[in-house]
Amino acid sequence: MSEPTLPEGVERRTFDGSDRLATRGEAVYGEPTDGEWRAWNPDRSKLGAMFELGMETGLRGDETVLYLGAASGTTVSHVADFAGPTYAVEFAARPARDLLDAAASRPRLFPLLADARKPATYAHVVEADVDAIVQDVATRGQARVALENRRFLADDGRLLLAVKARSEDVTRDPEDVFTDVETELDEGYEILERRRLEPYHADHLAVVARSR
């Protein structure tokens, strides 16, 4: 695997004899810790898998981030450890409660109980011109979610999208699903890099794109 360009605040450190990604922050999901550092598990994080696979995300640290599909905070807590203001959108009430716990020790993490398919409901909170949109939303219409939220992205910002094929159509070949998603994304984004997320996540495609 190629060596990824990691943002400032993300390092490779040794946990139990294994070299792993890590950020500084309070543990959230039972991950190993070493002092103030905590391991970042790519098997539970699409963005972590993107780093492990050497994708060039464009993240350098201190960015303003809009995270769509924050769930209980596994990945977005790592993002908030190294990024600037991080807006975490989650629709389901149960994981949102865990997200609130993860945010308690992270003053730059702002949980929003909202539907990523309806960005108008949080447009009054999220600042314009975010540096990155990180999207991990397991729903049909994942490209449409990315297009609807493009309004928040700075001209030179990046979309970091994890596409789950089975959420679009469980009956179709994943590559056919990915092709359709990329075609729809072309309405508003230029794709810079695409990569399947195996072995970390089956039937997932990671896309790095910028606004047209």
Side-chain angles (χ1 to χ4, degrees):
M1 294 180 188
S2 59
E3 185 67 23
T5 301
L6 298 175
E8 185 176 350
V10 181
E11 296 185 6
R12 303 204 69 92
R13 300 182 71 87
T14 301
F15 297 86
D16 301 324
S18 178
D19 180 56
R20 303 178 63 176
L21 292 171
T23 61
R24 287 188 180 97
E26 184 177 294
V28 168
Y29 53 100
E31 65 274 24
T33 59
D34 180 11
E36 62 184 355
W37 291 90
R38 63 191 186 109
W40 190 342
N41 186 351
D43 294 313
R44 298 186 60 175
S45 169
K46 314 307 189 307
L47 183 60
M50 291 171 72
F51 285 134
E52 288 286 7
L53 292 169
M55 295 186 72
E56 184 51 70
T57 65
L59 295 174
R60 296 292 179 266
D62 293 329
E63 289 91 354
T64 301
V65 177
L66 173 61
Y67 195 105
L68 306 175
S72 58
T74 297
T75 297
V76 75
S77 63
H78 284 291
V79 173
D81 286 345
F82 69 82
T86 303
Y87 300 94
V89 176
E90 175 52 45
F91 181 64
R94 178 63 189 89
R97 288 196 290 271
D98 293 333
L99 178 60
L100 287 171
D101 291 339
S105 61
R106 294 175 171 84
R108 294 176 295 192
L109 179 55
F110 305 102
L112 300 172
L113 183 60
D115 188 340
R117 295 170 297 183
K118 301 176 181 179
T121 62
Y122 47 87
H124 63 292
V125 177
V126 178
E127 60 189 85
D129 298 333
V130 302
D131 300 302
I133 294 174
V134 182
Q135 181 178 321
D136 182 12
V137 177
T139 184
R140 285 178 182 252
Q142 292 166 81
R144 183 52 48 189
V145 171
L147 289 165
E148 290 294 329
N149 282 274
R150 188 170 66 100
R151 68 181 74 182
F152 301 111
L153 191 62
D155 291 341
D156 60 348
R158 292 290 183 270
L159 169 70
L160 309 177
L161 170 64
V163 182
K164 184 177 182 180
R166 301 305 180 189
S167 292
E168 292 287 346
D169 190 335
V170 71
T171 67
R172 297 179 64 205
D173 181 90
E175 274 300 325
D176 292 337
V177 172
F178 298 149
T179 297
D180 287 350
V181 169
E182 291 174 86
T183 298
E184 188 172 357
L185 281 175
D186 192 57
E187 293 178 21
Y189 290 98
E190 176 189 358
I191 294 176
L192 304 175
E193 187 176 1
R194 72 184 302 275
R195 184 154 183 172
R196 294 283 293 261
L197 287 179
E198 283 85 4
Y200 301 105
H201 302 276
D203 300 328
H204 280 74
L205 178 74
V207 172
V208 178
R210 64 186 173 197
S211 186
R212 288 193 181 278

